């Protein structure tokens, strides 16, 4: 059966209000803080990954749920403007579109405050089986924000793999701090590439005191290749036996919001293009670094040529 899309993203899509950077701790008591920048932009890990992949030339669809409100209409238009198919983005008649405020700091860290809205009810009925069986790769995001969808992922990703697709998962943070090892053990065998950052890798492995490489090895024992994003230190991939590393490309970030999602998009695009994992790691790291050139997760996402040029300038010819 011919493929309709290169990539199907199962995940979150919402407006992001990005403000900062704060140069001192946030104070309550009705105290007003002034910051240099504020931006209303497209957010959600799934949406940012989808847009990054479309920017790199992939045909991309997203499946999920938004509200019947101005925020939902903003999300759908922003995705469509970036070339993402939104026909499987379902409109919920009663719950609002999720909304996230991102507070950044001068040291590069950030706090994320999310009103989940439709995320709590997003589930397997929001994912058309036809898309699962006619996409070359299926990526799931924000695992802990969508518990109904998370429980269904072993079955959904199993359908995709049976139809010949590769799969990936970026869990992102668990706001509850539980990290649900039992459920993760069920889904990881259906995942080809697990894509945490360093802190998430240790939490997912239940090994907060372990090194990041030890945590990745433990997770790889469940089946996936574990690709760990480690900010300015680059990234590495662990298949349970071997480790590949990239130092990435230098960056002077304006805003790191969504950089990990742009990394995910780059890795998926490179793998679908038939690149070996080592080159895919370099390409993904370049995509993540270049995405930090502007505020918000999607404004500075690179084209394929831009990412290749960045690698060439740093002596990493593709």
């Amino acid at each position: 059966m011919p493929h309709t899309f290169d990539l199907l993203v199962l995940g979150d899509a919402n407006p992001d209000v990005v403000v900062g950077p704060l140069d001192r701790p946030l104070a309550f008591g009705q105290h007003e803080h002034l910051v240099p920048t504020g931006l209303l932009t497209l957010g959600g890990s799934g949406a940012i990954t989808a847009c990054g992949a479309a920017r790199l030339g992939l045909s991309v669809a997203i499946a999920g749920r938004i509200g019947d409100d101005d925020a939902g209409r903003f999300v759908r238009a922003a995705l469509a403007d970036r070339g993402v198919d939104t026909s499987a983005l379902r409109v919920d008649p009663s719950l609002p579109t999720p909304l996230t405020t991102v507070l950044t700091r001068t040291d590069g860290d950030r706090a994320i405050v999310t009103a989940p809205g439709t995320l709590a009810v997003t589930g397997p009925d929001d994912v058309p089986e036809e898309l699962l069986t006619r996409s070359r790769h299926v990526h799931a995001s924000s695992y802990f924000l969508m518990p109904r969808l998370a429980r269904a992922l072993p079955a959904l990703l199993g359908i995709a793999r049976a139809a010949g697709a590769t799969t990936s998962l970026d869990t992102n943070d668990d706001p509850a701090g539980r990290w649900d090892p039992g459920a993760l053990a069920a889904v990881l065998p259906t995942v080809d590439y697990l894509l945490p950052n360093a802190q998430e890798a240790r939490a997912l492995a239940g090994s907060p005191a372990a090194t990041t490489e030890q945590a990745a090895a433990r997770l790889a024992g469940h089946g996936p290749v574990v690709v760990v994003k480690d900010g300015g230190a680059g990234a590495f991939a662990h298949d349970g036996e071997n480790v590949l590393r990239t130092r990435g490309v230098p960056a002077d970030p304006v805003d790191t919001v969504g950089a990990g999602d742009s990394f995910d998009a780059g890795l998926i695009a490179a793998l679908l293009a038939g690149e070996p994992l080592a080159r895919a790691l370099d390409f993904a790291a370049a995509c993540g670094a270049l995405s930090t050139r502007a505020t918000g997760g999607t404004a500075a996402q690179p084209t394929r040529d831009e990412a290749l040029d960045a690698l060439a300038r740093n002596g990493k010819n593709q």
Side-chain angles (χ1 to χ4, degrees):
M1 181 181 295
H3 292 107
T4 304
F5 294 102
D6 295 314
L7 171 63
L8 169 64
V9 175
L10 314 180
D12 49 336
N14 55 263
D16 269 359
V17 179
V18 184
V19 292
L22 293 166
D23 58 5
R24 60 188 186 278
L26 187 66
F28 284 83
Q30 302 184 49
H31 179 70
E32 185 165 359
H33 291 254
L34 298 181
V35 295
T37 61
L39 178 70
L40 173 65
T41 187
L42 180 65
S45 177
I48 295 172
T49 300
C51 290
R55 179 77 169 153
L56 292 168
L58 300 189
S59 58
V60 184
I62 188 169
R65 194 183 292 215
I66 54 176
D68 185 11
D69 49 26
D70 288 341
R73 288 182 280 276
F74 169 83
V75 164
R76 188 182 296 278
L79 285 163
D81 285 348
R82 289 163 175 80
V84 177
D85 186 285
T86 63
S87 58
L89 198 58
R90 181 178 176 184
V91 176
D92 189 290
S94 57
L95 288 173
T97 300
L99 180 64
T100 292
T101 298
V102 182
L103 301 171
T104 65
R105 293 195 317 197
T106 52
D107 64 0
D109 200 0
R110 60 186 183 267
I112 303 170
V113 182
T114 295
T118 56
L119 294 179
V121 298
T122 302
D125 50 333
D126 295 311
V127 183
E129 184 170 338
E130 180 181 0
L131 287 181
L132 290 171
T133 58
R134 301 191 69 177
S135 298
R136 296 173 62 203
H137 186 95
V138 177
H139 174 76
S141 66
S142 296
Y143 178 90
F144 297 104
L145 296 183
M146 294 175 286
R148 289 190 65 238
L149 185 64
R151 289 192 294 270
L153 277 183
L156 296 174
L157 298 183
I159 291 170
R161 292 178 98 192
T166 49
T167 61
S168 56
L169 171 64
D170 189 342
T171 66
N172 305 106
D173 187 42
D174 180 5
R178 292 190 292 266
W179 299 94
D180 202 355
L184 283 167
V187 73
L188 289 182
T190 67
V191 173
D192 291 303
Y193 298 94
L194 180 65
L195 308 174
N197 63 29
Q199 179 179 338
E200 291 161 356
R202 292 190 294 271
L204 290 167
S207 306
T211 68
T212 307
E213 187 172 319
Q214 288 169 338
R218 180 173 297 184
L219 292 166
H222 292 277
V225 174
V226 180
V227 180
V228 179
K229 298 163 282 189
D230 200 10
F236 71 88
H238 202 311
D239 66 1
E241 295 183 1
N242 302 304
V243 179
L244 296 171
R245 298 186 182 277
T246 182
R247 297 182 64 183
V249 299
D252 186 13
V254 173
D255 179 16
T256 60
V257 170
D261 305 315
S262 294
F263 177 104
D264 294 351
L267 186 81
I268 293 165
L271 291 170
L272 288 178
E275 296 287 359
L277 184 55
R279 291 184 180 180
L281 271 178
D282 284 339
F283 186 80
C287 290
L290 292 172
S291 76
T292 69
R293 296 172 293 176
T295 302
T298 61
Q301 288 179 313
T303 64
R304 181 177 182 275
D305 286 344
E306 287 174 330
L308 291 176
D309 286 347
L311 290 172
R313 289 195 302 271
N314 287 276
K316 297 180 178 180
N317 295 319
Q318 295 287 298

